[in-house]
mmCIF file of all heavy atoms in Angstrom:
data_model
loop_
_atom_site.group_PDB
_atom_site.id
_atom_site.type_symbol
_atom_site.label_atom_id
_atom_site.label_comp_id
_atom_site.label_asym_id
_atom_site.label_seq_id
_atom_site.Cartn_x
_atom_site.Cartn_y
_atom_site.Cartn_z
ATOM 1 N N ASP A 79 -51.207 -61.796 -107.048
ATOM 2 C CA ASP A 79 -51.299 -60.377 -106.741
ATOM 3 C C ASP A 79 -49.863 -59.882 -106.622
ATOM 4 O O ASP A 79 -49.310 -59.809 -105.536
ATOM 5 C CB ASP A 79 -52.043 -60.239 -105.411
ATOM 6 C CG ASP A 79 -52.411 -58.814 -105.107
ATOM 7 O OD1 ASP A 79 -52.284 -57.977 -106.011
ATOM 8 O OD2 ASP A 79 -52.821 -58.546 -103.974
ATOM 9 N N ALA A 221 -44.958 -47.072 -94.702
ATOM 10 C CA ALA A 221 -46.228 -47.724 -94.413
ATOM 11 C C ALA A 221 -46.376 -47.811 -92.892
ATOM 12 O O ALA A 221 -45.382 -47.780 -92.173
ATOM 13 C CB ALA A 221 -46.249 -49.120 -95.012
ATOM 14 N N ASN A 222 -47.614 -47.924 -92.419
ATOM 15 C CA ASN A 222 -47.818 -48.051 -90.978
ATOM 16 C C ASN A 222 -47.011 -49.212 -90.407
ATOM 17 O O ASN A 222 -46.531 -49.162 -89.282
ATOM 18 C CB ASN A 222 -49.293 -48.274 -90.657
ATOM 19 C CG ASN A 222 -50.072 -46.980 -90.774
ATOM 20 O OD1 ASN A 222 -49.492 -45.903 -90.770
ATOM 21 N ND2 ASN A 222 -51.375 -47.092 -90.888
ATOM 22 N N GLU A 271 -70.987 -57.177 -90.040
ATOM 23 C CA GLU A 271 -70.890 -56.222 -88.946
ATOM 24 C C GLU A 271 -69.595 -55.417 -89.047
ATOM 25 O O GLU A 271 -69.592 -54.210 -88.860
ATOM 26 C CB GLU A 271 -70.925 -56.987 -87.627
ATOM 27 C CG GLU A 271 -71.703 -56.267 -86.559
ATOM 28 C CD GLU A 271 -71.946 -57.175 -85.367
ATOM 29 O OE1 GLU A 271 -72.262 -58.367 -85.593
ATOM 30 O OE2 GLU A 271 -71.799 -56.694 -84.239
ATOM 31 N N ASN A 275 -69.541 -51.507 -89.543
ATOM 32 C CA ASN A 275 -68.852 -50.673 -88.556
ATOM 33 C C ASN A 275 -67.781 -49.806 -89.205
ATOM 34 O O ASN A 275 -67.536 -48.686 -88.778
ATOM 35 C CB ASN A 275 -68.198 -51.528 -87.466
ATOM 36 C CG ASN A 275 -69.225 -52.115 -86.526
ATOM 37 O OD1 ASN A 275 -70.342 -51.611 -86.431
ATOM 38 N ND2 ASN A 275 -68.871 -53.187 -85.852
ATOM 39 N N ARG A 363 -52.743 -44.956 -85.115
ATOM 40 C CA ARG A 363 -53.001 -46.175 -84.341
ATOM 41 C C ARG A 363 -52.689 -45.948 -82.867
ATOM 42 O O ARG A 363 -53.469 -46.240 -81.986
ATOM 43 C CB ARG A 363 -52.142 -47.310 -84.871
ATOM 44 C CG ARG A 363 -52.363 -48.642 -84.242
ATOM 45 C CD ARG A 363 -53.378 -49.455 -84.987
ATOM 46 N NE ARG A 363 -53.108 -49.510 -86.408
ATOM 47 C CZ ARG A 363 -52.389 -50.444 -86.992
ATOM 48 N NH1 ARG A 363 -51.846 -51.390 -86.271
ATOM 49 N NH2 ARG A 363 -52.223 -50.456 -88.274
ATOM 50 N N LYS A 369 -54.194 -45.349 -73.738
ATOM 51 C CA LYS A 369 -55.095 -45.256 -72.599
ATOM 52 C C LYS A 369 -54.843 -43.961 -71.839
ATOM 53 O O LYS A 369 -55.703 -43.433 -71.174
ATOM 54 C CB LYS A 369 -54.876 -46.438 -71.648
ATOM 55 C CG LYS A 369 -55.350 -47.746 -72.215
ATOM 56 C CD LYS A 369 -55.056 -48.865 -71.225
ATOM 57 C CE LYS A 369 -55.106 -50.206 -71.925
ATOM 58 N NZ LYS A 369 -54.562 -51.274 -71.106
ATOM 59 N N LYS A 483 -67.964 -42.965 -90.901
ATOM 60 C CA LYS A 483 -66.613 -43.074 -90.375
ATOM 61 C C LYS A 483 -65.634 -43.330 -91.522
ATOM 62 O O LYS A 483 -64.491 -42.921 -91.491
ATOM 63 C CB LYS A 483 -66.558 -44.239 -89.376
ATOM 64 C CG LYS A 483 -65.755 -43.904 -88.140
ATOM 65 C CD LYS A 483 -65.669 -45.109 -87.218
ATOM 66 C CE LYS A 483 -66.880 -45.258 -86.326
ATOM 67 N NZ LYS A 483 -66.958 -46.531 -85.632
ATOM 68 N N LEU A 805 -57.935 -80.804 -89.528
ATOM 69 C CA LEU A 805 -57.444 -80.022 -88.382
ATOM 70 C C LEU A 805 -58.549 -79.317 -87.611
ATOM 71 O O LEU A 805 -58.427 -79.110 -86.409
ATOM 72 C CB LEU A 805 -56.457 -78.950 -88.884
ATOM 73 C CG LEU A 805 -55.011 -79.340 -89.070
ATOM 74 C CD1 LEU A 805 -54.245 -78.185 -89.674
ATOM 75 C CD2 LEU A 805 -54.388 -79.740 -87.744
ATOM 76 N N ARG A 824 -52.965 -93.227 -92.257
ATOM 77 C CA ARG A 824 -53.450 -94.588 -91.976
ATOM 78 C C ARG A 824 -54.814 -94.827 -92.604
ATOM 79 O O ARG A 824 -55.104 -95.906 -93.099
ATOM 80 C CB ARG A 824 -53.554 -94.811 -90.464
ATOM 81 C CG ARG A 824 -52.231 -95.154 -89.834
ATOM 82 C CD ARG A 824 -52.354 -95.283 -88.332
ATOM 83 N NE ARG A 824 -51.072 -94.987 -87.720
ATOM 84 C CZ ARG A 824 -50.906 -94.455 -86.540
ATOM 85 N NH1 ARG A 824 -51.966 -94.160 -85.791
ATOM 86 N NH2 ARG A 824 -49.712 -94.220 -86.068
ATOM 87 N N LYS A 861 -74.150 -87.745 -95.216
ATOM 88 C CA LYS A 861 -73.323 -86.891 -94.364
ATOM 89 C C LYS A 861 -72.287 -86.110 -95.183
ATOM 90 O O LYS A 861 -72.062 -84.927 -94.939
ATOM 91 C CB LYS A 861 -72.628 -87.771 -93.320
ATOM 92 C CG LYS A 861 -71.827 -87.000 -92.282
ATOM 93 C CD LYS A 861 -72.649 -86.668 -91.052
ATOM 94 C CE LYS A 861 -71.771 -86.213 -89.908
ATOM 95 N NZ LYS A 861 -71.626 -84.758 -89.822
ATOM 96 N N ASN A 872 -63.976 -80.789 -91.932
ATOM 97 C CA ASN A 872 -63.348 -81.614 -90.903
ATOM 98 C C ASN A 872 -64.236 -82.793 -90.502
ATOM 99 O O ASN A 872 -63.764 -83.907 -90.342
ATOM 100 C CB ASN A 872 -62.964 -80.776 -89.678
ATOM 101 C CG ASN A 872 -64.130 -79.997 -89.095
ATOM 102 O OD1 ASN A 872 -65.051 -79.612 -89.812
ATOM 103 N ND2 ASN A 872 -64.109 -79.790 -87.796
ATOM 104 N N MET A 879 -63.590 -91.634 -92.451
ATOM 105 C CA MET A 879 -62.871 -92.569 -91.579
ATOM 106 C C MET A 879 -63.836 -93.589 -90.981
ATOM 107 O O MET A 879 -63.560 -94.787 -90.956
ATOM 108 C CB MET A 879 -62.175 -91.812 -90.459
ATOM 109 C CG MET A 879 -60.977 -91.005 -90.926
ATOM 110 S SD MET A 879 -60.323 -90.028 -89.572
ATOM 111 C CE MET A 879 -58.789 -89.454 -90.301
ATOM 112 N N ASN A 1009 -86.872 -87.569 -70.028
ATOM 113 C CA ASN A 1009 -86.391 -87.033 -68.757
ATOM 114 C C ASN A 1009 -87.474 -87.219 -67.700
ATOM 115 O O ASN A 1009 -88.619 -86.818 -67.900
ATOM 116 C CB ASN A 1009 -86.039 -85.548 -68.911
ATOM 117 C CG ASN A 1009 -85.324 -84.998 -67.683
ATOM 118 O OD1 ASN A 1009 -84.819 -85.764 -66.861
ATOM 119 N ND2 ASN A 1009 -85.311 -83.693 -67.544
ATOM 120 P P G B 1 -58.157 -51.253 -73.328
ATOM 121 O OP1 G B 1 -59.020 -52.307 -73.566
ATOM 122 O OP2 G B 1 -56.783 -51.375 -73.289
ATOM 123 O "O5'" G B 1 -58.618 -50.037 -74.243
ATOM 124 C "C5'" G B 1 -59.241 -48.920 -73.633
ATOM 125 C "C4'" G B 1 -59.639 -48.013 -74.751
ATOM 126 O "O4'" G B 1 -58.464 -47.681 -75.536
ATOM 127 C "C3'" G B 1 -60.601 -48.638 -75.759
ATOM 128 O "O3'" G B 1 -61.935 -48.443 -75.329
ATOM 129 C "C2'" G B 1 -60.294 -47.888 -77.036
ATOM 130 O "O2'" G B 1 -60.924 -46.609 -77.061
ATOM 131 C "C1'" G B 1 -58.780 -47.676 -76.920
ATOM 132 N N9 G B 1 -57.998 -48.737 -77.574
ATOM 133 C C8 G B 1 -57.198 -49.650 -76.958
ATOM 134 N N7 G B 1 -56.601 -50.460 -77.792
ATOM 135 C C5 G B 1 -57.041 -50.043 -79.041
ATOM 136 C C6 G B 1 -56.739 -50.542 -80.336
ATOM 137 O O6 G B 1 -55.988 -51.476 -80.640
ATOM 138 N N1 G B 1 -57.421 -49.847 -81.328
ATOM 139 C C2 G B 1 -58.274 -48.801 -81.087
ATOM 140 N N2 G B 1 -58.838 -48.247 -82.169
ATOM 141 N N3 G B 1 -58.566 -48.317 -79.887
ATOM 142 C C4 G B 1 -57.914 -48.979 -78.919
ATOM 143 P P C B 3 -66.625 -51.389 -79.458
ATOM 144 O OP1 C B 3 -68.052 -51.109 -79.238
ATOM 145 O OP2 C B 3 -65.858 -52.186 -78.488
ATOM 146 O "O5'" C B 3 -66.451 -52.084 -80.887
ATOM 147 C "C5'" C B 3 -67.081 -51.548 -82.039
ATOM 148 C "C4'" C B 3 -66.640 -52.336 -83.241
ATOM 149 O "O4'" C B 3 -65.216 -52.152 -83.442
ATOM 150 C "C3'" C B 3 -66.774 -53.845 -83.120
ATOM 151 O "O3'" C B 3 -68.093 -54.293 -83.335
ATOM 152 C "C2'" C B 3 -65.800 -54.313 -84.194
ATOM 153 O "O2'" C B 3 -66.334 -54.124 -85.489
ATOM 154 C "C1'" C B 3 -64.648 -53.341 -83.988
ATOM 155 N N1 C B 3 -63.630 -53.877 -83.049
ATOM 156 C C2 C B 3 -62.686 -54.783 -83.558
ATOM 157 O O2 C B 3 -62.745 -55.094 -84.757
ATOM 158 N N3 C B 3 -61.744 -55.277 -82.730
ATOM 159 C C4 C B 3 -61.718 -54.921 -81.451
ATOM 160 N N4 C B 3 -60.765 -55.440 -80.683
ATOM 161 C C5 C B 3 -62.667 -54.007 -80.908
ATOM 162 C C6 C B 3 -63.598 -53.511 -81.735
ATOM 163 P P C B 4 -68.598 -55.642 -82.597
ATOM 164 O OP1 C B 4 -70.030 -55.758 -82.908
ATOM 165 O OP2 C B 4 -68.134 -55.641 -81.199
ATOM 166 O "O5'" C B 4 -67.796 -56.787 -83.359
ATOM 167 C "C5'" C B 4 -68.139 -57.151 -84.690
ATOM 168 C "C4'" C B 4 -67.180 -58.195 -85.189
ATOM 169 O "O4'" C B 4 -65.823 -57.697 -85.096
ATOM 170 C "C3'" C B 4 -67.117 -59.483 -84.389
ATOM 171 O "O3'" C B 4 -68.208 -60.334 -84.633
ATOM 172 C "C2'" C B 4 -65.795 -60.054 -84.886
ATOM 173 O "O2'" C B 4 -65.905 -60.554 -86.195
ATOM 174 C "C1'" C B 4 -64.932 -58.793 -84.904
ATOM 175 N N1 C B 4 -64.195 -58.634 -83.627
ATOM 176 C C2 C B 4 -63.029 -59.381 -83.436
ATOM 177 O O2 C B 4 -62.658 -60.139 -84.342
ATOM 178 N N3 C B 4 -62.339 -59.262 -82.277
ATOM 179 C C4 C B 4 -62.775 -58.438 -81.327
ATOM 180 N N4 C B 4 -62.062 -58.354 -80.211
ATOM 181 C C5 C B 4 -63.972 -57.665 -81.491
ATOM 182 C C6 C B 4 -64.644 -57.789 -82.647
ATOM 183 P P G B 12 -55.355 -78.170 -78.440
ATOM 184 O OP1 G B 12 -55.064 -76.747 -78.634
ATOM 185 O OP2 G B 12 -56.400 -78.589 -77.478
ATOM 186 O "O5'" G B 12 -55.735 -78.798 -79.857
ATOM 187 C "C5'" G B 12 -54.913 -78.503 -80.987
ATOM 188 C "C4'" G B 12 -55.483 -79.160 -82.206
ATOM 189 O "O4'" G B 12 -55.414 -80.604 -82.073
ATOM 190 C "C3'" G B 12 -56.963 -78.919 -82.457
ATOM 191 O "O3'" G B 12 -57.203 -77.634 -82.996
ATOM 192 C "C2'" G B 12 -57.282 -80.042 -83.426
ATOM 193 O "O2'" G B 12 -56.765 -79.761 -84.708
ATOM 194 C "C1'" G B 12 -56.481 -81.197 -82.797
ATOM 195 N N9 G B 12 -57.331 -81.960 -81.873
ATOM 196 C C8 G B 12 -57.446 -81.782 -80.522
ATOM 197 N N7 G B 12 -58.313 -82.599 -79.971
ATOM 198 C C5 G B 12 -58.789 -83.362 -81.027
ATOM 199 C C6 G B 12 -59.745 -84.409 -81.050
ATOM 200 O O6 G B 12 -60.378 -84.890 -80.105
ATOM 201 N N1 G B 12 -59.948 -84.901 -82.343
ATOM 202 C C2 G B 12 -59.303 -84.442 -83.464
ATOM 203 N N2 G B 12 -59.632 -85.034 -84.613
ATOM 204 N N3 G B 12 -58.403 -83.468 -83.459
ATOM 205 C C4 G B 12 -58.192 -82.980 -82.216
ATOM 206 P P A B 14 -64.944 -78.799 -84.372
ATOM 207 O OP1 A B 14 -65.289 -78.437 -85.760
ATOM 208 O OP2 A B 14 -65.077 -77.810 -83.300
ATOM 209 O "O5'" A B 14 -65.771 -80.101 -83.980
ATOM 210 C "C5'" A B 14 -65.928 -81.132 -84.947
ATOM 211 C "C4'" A B 14 -66.824 -82.196 -84.425
ATOM 212 O "O4'" A B 14 -66.272 -82.774 -83.222
ATOM 213 C "C3'" A B 14 -68.210 -81.761 -83.991
ATOM 214 O "O3'" A B 14 -69.049 -81.613 -85.100
ATOM 215 C "C2'" A B 14 -68.634 -82.932 -83.119
ATOM 216 O "O2'" A B 14 -69.024 -84.044 -83.906
ATOM 217 C "C1'" A B 14 -67.321 -83.289 -82.429
ATOM 218 N N9 A B 14 -67.204 -82.751 -81.085
ATOM 219 C C8 A B 14 -66.398 -81.737 -80.641
ATOM 220 N N7 A B 14 -66.489 -81.507 -79.349
ATOM 221 C C5 A B 14 -67.421 -82.433 -78.918
ATOM 222 C C6 A B 14 -67.960 -82.719 -77.656
ATOM 223 N N6 A B 14 -67.613 -82.075 -76.547
ATOM 224 N N1 A B 14 -68.884 -83.702 -77.572
ATOM 225 C C2 A B 14 -69.228 -84.355 -78.685
ATOM 226 N N3 A B 14 -68.791 -84.181 -79.927
ATOM 227 C C4 A B 14 -67.871 -83.200 -79.973
ATOM 228 P P U B 16 -75.418 -79.747 -82.858
ATOM 229 O OP1 U B 16 -74.929 -78.891 -81.780
ATOM 230 O OP2 U B 16 -76.841 -80.064 -82.988
ATOM 231 O "O5'" U B 16 -74.856 -79.162 -84.234
ATOM 232 C "C5'" U B 16 -74.933 -77.775 -84.538
ATOM 233 C "C4'" U B 16 -75.728 -77.539 -85.807
ATOM 234 O "O4'" U B 16 -75.199 -78.360 -86.886
ATOM 235 C "C3'" U B 16 -77.210 -77.897 -85.699
ATOM 236 O "O3'" U B 16 -77.966 -76.948 -86.436
ATOM 237 C "C2'" U B 16 -77.315 -79.241 -86.401
ATOM 238 O "O2'" U B 16 -78.578 -79.480 -87.020
ATOM 239 C "C1'" U B 16 -76.239 -79.086 -87.475
ATOM 240 N N1 U B 16 -75.669 -80.376 -87.929
ATOM 241 C C2 U B 16 -75.892 -80.764 -89.241
ATOM 242 O O2 U B 16 -76.544 -80.096 -90.029
ATOM 243 N N3 U B 16 -75.335 -81.959 -89.600
ATOM 244 C C4 U B 16 -74.588 -82.788 -88.807
ATOM 245 O O4 U B 16 -74.145 -83.826 -89.282
ATOM 246 C C5 U B 16 -74.393 -82.323 -87.465
ATOM 247 C C6 U B 16 -74.935 -81.162 -87.082
ATOM 248 P P G B 19 -80.517 -79.277 -78.575
ATOM 249 O OP1 G B 19 -79.125 -78.888 -78.831
ATOM 250 O OP2 G B 19 -81.450 -79.469 -79.691
ATOM 251 O "O5'" G B 19 -80.513 -80.606 -77.701
ATOM 252 C "C5'" G B 19 -79.629 -80.695 -76.591
ATOM 253 C "C4'" G B 19 -79.922 -81.969 -75.832
ATOM 254 O "O4'" G B 19 -81.150 -81.822 -75.087
ATOM 255 C "C3'" G B 19 -80.093 -83.191 -76.703
ATOM 256 O "O3'" G B 19 -79.657 -84.312 -75.945
ATOM 257 C "C2'" G B 19 -81.611 -83.274 -76.882
ATOM 258 O "O2'" G B 19 -82.061 -84.571 -77.132
ATOM 259 C "C1'" G B 19 -82.090 -82.809 -75.510
ATOM 260 N N9 G B 19 -83.400 -82.169 -75.488
ATOM 261 C C8 G B 19 -84.069 -81.556 -76.500
ATOM 262 N N7 G B 19 -85.201 -81.017 -76.126
ATOM 263 C C5 G B 19 -85.271 -81.292 -74.760
ATOM 264 C C6 G B 19 -86.257 -80.981 -73.812
ATOM 265 O O6 G B 19 -87.292 -80.338 -73.965
ATOM 266 N N1 G B 19 -85.941 -81.462 -72.549
ATOM 267 C C2 G B 19 -84.827 -82.167 -72.258
ATOM 268 N N2 G B 19 -84.693 -82.537 -70.994
ATOM 269 N N3 G B 19 -83.885 -82.483 -73.129
ATOM 270 C C4 G B 19 -84.172 -82.017 -74.356
ATOM 271 P P C B 24 -65.370 -92.906 -82.584
ATOM 272 O OP1 C B 24 -65.710 -94.215 -83.174
ATOM 273 O OP2 C B 24 -64.614 -92.824 -81.325
ATOM 274 O "O5'" C B 24 -64.590 -92.028 -83.672
ATOM 275 C "C5'" C B 24 -64.942 -92.067 -85.046
ATOM 276 C "C4'" C B 24 -64.064 -91.109 -85.831
ATOM 277 O "O4'" C B 24 -64.360 -89.749 -85.434
ATOM 278 C "C3'" C B 24 -62.570 -91.240 -85.543
ATOM 279 O "O3'" C B 24 -61.985 -92.305 -86.277
ATOM 280 C "C2'" C B 24 -62.061 -89.872 -85.971
ATOM 281 O "O2'" C B 24 -62.013 -89.760 -87.370
ATOM 282 C "C1'" C B 24 -63.173 -88.977 -85.435
ATOM 283 N N1 C B 24 -62.886 -88.534 -84.052
ATOM 284 C C2 C B 24 -62.030 -87.435 -83.859
ATOM 285 O O2 C B 24 -61.552 -86.881 -84.856
ATOM 286 N N3 C B 24 -61.756 -87.020 -82.598
ATOM 287 C C4 C B 24 -62.294 -87.662 -81.553
ATOM 288 N N4 C B 24 -61.995 -87.214 -80.336
ATOM 289 C C5 C B 24 -63.166 -88.779 -81.717
ATOM 290 C C6 C B 24 -63.430 -89.174 -82.969
ATOM 291 P P G B 25 -60.822 -93.154 -85.642
ATOM 292 O OP1 G B 25 -60.470 -94.179 -86.631
ATOM 293 O OP2 G B 25 -61.178 -93.538 -84.258
ATOM 294 O "O5'" G B 25 -59.647 -92.091 -85.523
ATOM 295 C "C5'" G B 25 -58.921 -91.717 -86.681
ATOM 296 C "C4'" G B 25 -58.060 -90.522 -86.401
ATOM 297 O "O4'" G B 25 -58.839 -89.472 -85.756
ATOM 298 C "C3'" G B 25 -56.916 -90.710 -85.413
ATOM 299 O "O3'" G B 25 -55.840 -91.437 -85.966
ATOM 300 C "C2'" G B 25 -56.563 -89.247 -85.154
ATOM 301 O "O2'" G B 25 -55.929 -88.685 -86.268
ATOM 302 C "C1'" G B 25 -57.964 -88.636 -85.024
ATOM 303 N N9 G B 25 -58.360 -88.611 -83.612
ATOM 304 C C8 G B 25 -59.247 -89.420 -82.947
ATOM 305 N N7 G B 25 -59.331 -89.127 -81.664
ATOM 306 C C5 G B 25 -58.451 -88.070 -81.486
ATOM 307 C C6 G B 25 -58.098 -87.328 -80.320
ATOM 308 O O6 G B 25 -58.515 -87.469 -79.170
ATOM 309 N N1 G B 25 -57.146 -86.348 -80.595
ATOM 310 C C2 G B 25 -56.603 -86.113 -81.834
ATOM 311 N N2 G B 25 -55.703 -85.138 -81.918
ATOM 312 N N3 G B 25 -56.915 -86.785 -82.933
ATOM 313 C C4 G B 25 -57.845 -87.742 -82.685
ATOM 314 P P C B 26 -54.835 -92.189 -85.027
ATOM 315 O OP1 C B 26 -53.933 -92.935 -85.920
ATOM 316 O OP2 C B 26 -55.564 -92.891 -83.945
ATOM 317 O "O5'" C B 26 -54.025 -90.995 -84.362
ATOM 318 C "C5'" C B 26 -53.152 -90.195 -85.157
ATOM 319 C "C4'" C B 26 -52.527 -89.119 -84.301
ATOM 320 O "O4'" C B 26 -53.561 -88.339 -83.662
ATOM 321 C "C3'" C B 26 -51.706 -89.626 -83.127
ATOM 322 O "O3'" C B 26 -50.420 -90.045 -83.533
ATOM 323 C "C2'" C B 26 -51.658 -88.380 -82.255
ATOM 324 O "O2'" C B 26 -50.765 -87.426 -82.768
ATOM 325 C "C1'" C B 26 -53.087 -87.867 -82.415
ATOM 326 N N1 C B 26 -53.980 -88.364 -81.339
ATOM 327 C C2 C B 26 -53.866 -87.758 -80.071
ATOM 328 O O2 C B 26 -53.046 -86.857 -79.909
ATOM 329 N N3 C B 26 -54.663 -88.195 -79.055
ATOM 330 C C4 C B 26 -55.532 -89.178 -79.274
ATOM 331 N N4 C B 26 -56.297 -89.560 -78.237
ATOM 332 C C5 C B 26 -55.671 -89.806 -80.551
ATOM 333 C C6 C B 26 -54.881 -89.373 -81.542
ATOM 334 P P C B 67 -88.978 -75.428 -65.680
ATOM 335 O OP1 C B 67 -90.384 -75.752 -65.960
ATOM 336 O OP2 C B 67 -88.602 -74.617 -64.502
ATOM 337 O "O5'" C B 67 -88.150 -76.784 -65.607
ATOM 338 C "C5'" C B 67 -88.281 -77.646 -64.469
ATOM 339 C "C4'" C B 67 -87.598 -78.968 -64.771
ATOM 340 O "O4'" C B 67 -88.381 -79.690 -65.771
ATOM 341 C "C3'" C B 67 -86.225 -78.862 -65.400
ATOM 342 O "O3'" C B 67 -85.228 -78.677 -64.427
ATOM 343 C "C2'" C B 67 -86.092 -80.199 -66.116
ATOM 344 O "O2'" C B 67 -85.767 -81.242 -65.234
ATOM 345 C "C1'" C B 67 -87.527 -80.414 -66.629
ATOM 346 N N1 C B 67 -87.717 -79.922 -68.014
ATOM 347 C C2 C B 67 -87.169 -80.662 -69.082
ATOM 348 O O2 C B 67 -86.512 -81.687 -68.823
ATOM 349 N N3 C B 67 -87.356 -80.245 -70.346
ATOM 350 C C4 C B 67 -88.074 -79.139 -70.577
ATOM 351 N N4 C B 67 -88.229 -78.765 -71.840
ATOM 352 C C5 C B 67 -88.636 -78.375 -69.521
ATOM 353 C C6 C B 67 -88.444 -78.795 -68.265
ATOM 354 P P A B 84 -55.023 -47.773 -89.583
ATOM 355 O OP1 A B 84 -54.052 -48.665 -88.939
ATOM 356 O OP2 A B 84 -55.284 -46.438 -89.037
ATOM 357 O "O5'" A B 84 -54.602 -47.620 -91.105
ATOM 358 C "C5'" A B 84 -54.643 -48.754 -91.983
ATOM 359 C "C4'" A B 84 -55.437 -48.410 -93.223
ATOM 360 O "O4'" A B 84 -56.842 -48.337 -92.907
ATOM 361 C "C3'" A B 84 -55.068 -47.069 -93.837
ATOM 362 O "O3'" A B 84 -55.085 -47.206 -95.258
ATOM 363 C "C2'" A B 84 -56.205 -46.153 -93.424
ATOM 364 O "O2'" A B 84 -56.431 -45.068 -94.275
ATOM 365 C "C1'" A B 84 -57.364 -47.147 -93.453
ATOM 366 N N9 A B 84 -58.486 -46.655 -92.653
ATOM 367 C C8 A B 84 -58.540 -46.478 -91.302
ATOM 368 N N7 A B 84 -59.668 -45.968 -90.893
ATOM 369 C C5 A B 84 -60.400 -45.799 -92.048
ATOM 370 C C6 A B 84 -61.684 -45.294 -92.302
ATOM 371 N N6 A B 84 -62.497 -44.839 -91.339
ATOM 372 N N1 A B 84 -62.118 -45.274 -93.563
ATOM 373 C C2 A B 84 -61.313 -45.732 -94.516
ATOM 374 N N3 A B 84 -60.090 -46.224 -94.424
ATOM 375 C C4 A B 84 -59.682 -46.229 -93.161
ATOM 376 P P C B 85 -54.181 -46.310 -96.167
ATOM 377 O OP1 C B 85 -54.033 -44.961 -95.615
ATOM 378 O OP2 C B 85 -54.775 -46.530 -97.494
ATOM 379 O "O5'" C B 85 -52.758 -47.012 -96.129
ATOM 380 C "C5'" C B 85 -52.643 -48.375 -96.476
ATOM 381 C "C4'" C B 85 -51.179 -48.719 -96.579
ATOM 382 O "O4'" C B 85 -50.567 -47.836 -97.551
ATOM 383 C "C3'" C B 85 -50.422 -48.479 -95.278
ATOM 384 O "O3'" C B 85 -49.321 -49.387 -95.217
ATOM 385 C "C2'" C B 85 -49.841 -47.093 -95.450
ATOM 386 O "O2'" C B 85 -48.701 -46.841 -94.687
ATOM 387 C "C1'" C B 85 -49.510 -47.139 -96.951
ATOM 388 N N1 C B 85 -49.419 -45.822 -97.556
ATOM 389 C C2 C B 85 -48.213 -45.476 -98.154
ATOM 390 O O2 C B 85 -47.289 -46.291 -98.148
ATOM 391 N N3 C B 85 -48.086 -44.271 -98.726
ATOM 392 C C4 C B 85 -49.111 -43.432 -98.707
ATOM 393 N N4 C B 85 -48.925 -42.255 -99.276
ATOM 394 C C5 C B 85 -50.355 -43.756 -98.102
ATOM 395 C C6 C B 85 -50.467 -44.955 -97.535
ATOM 396 P P A B 87 -48.836 -53.734 -100.009
ATOM 397 O OP1 A B 87 -47.914 -53.367 -101.095
ATOM 398 O OP2 A B 87 -49.892 -52.788 -99.596
ATOM 399 O "O5'" A B 87 -49.526 -55.119 -100.356
ATOM 400 C "C5'" A B 87 -48.754 -56.229 -100.804
ATOM 401 C "C4'" A B 87 -49.515 -57.492 -100.495
ATOM 402 O "O4'" A B 87 -49.782 -57.509 -99.083
ATOM 403 C "C3'" A B 87 -50.888 -57.575 -101.140
ATOM 404 O "O3'" A B 87 -50.823 -58.115 -102.442
ATOM 405 C "C2'" A B 87 -51.665 -58.460 -100.178
ATOM 406 O "O2'" A B 87 -51.390 -59.823 -100.390
ATOM 407 C "C1'" A B 87 -51.068 -58.040 -98.836
ATOM 408 N N9 A B 87 -51.908 -57.027 -98.178
ATOM 409 C C8 A B 87 -52.023 -55.697 -98.459
ATOM 410 N N7 A B 87 -52.861 -55.059 -97.668
ATOM 411 C C5 A B 87 -53.330 -56.047 -96.818
ATOM 412 C C6 A B 87 -54.256 -56.036 -95.745
ATOM 413 N N6 A B 87 -54.902 -54.940 -95.343
ATOM 414 N N1 A B 87 -54.494 -57.183 -95.103
ATOM 415 C C2 A B 87 -53.844 -58.287 -95.511
ATOM 416 N N3 A B 87 -52.954 -58.438 -96.495
ATOM 417 C C4 A B 87 -52.736 -57.268 -97.117
#
Side-chain angles (χ1 to χ4, degrees):
Chain A
D79 190 11
N222 284 342
E271 218 169 318
N275 287 339
R363 184 92 50 92
K369 290 178 198 168
K483 222 183 277 168
L805 275 175
R824 279 177 207 149
K861 185 92 166 94
N872 55 330
M879 288 175 170
N1009 189 17

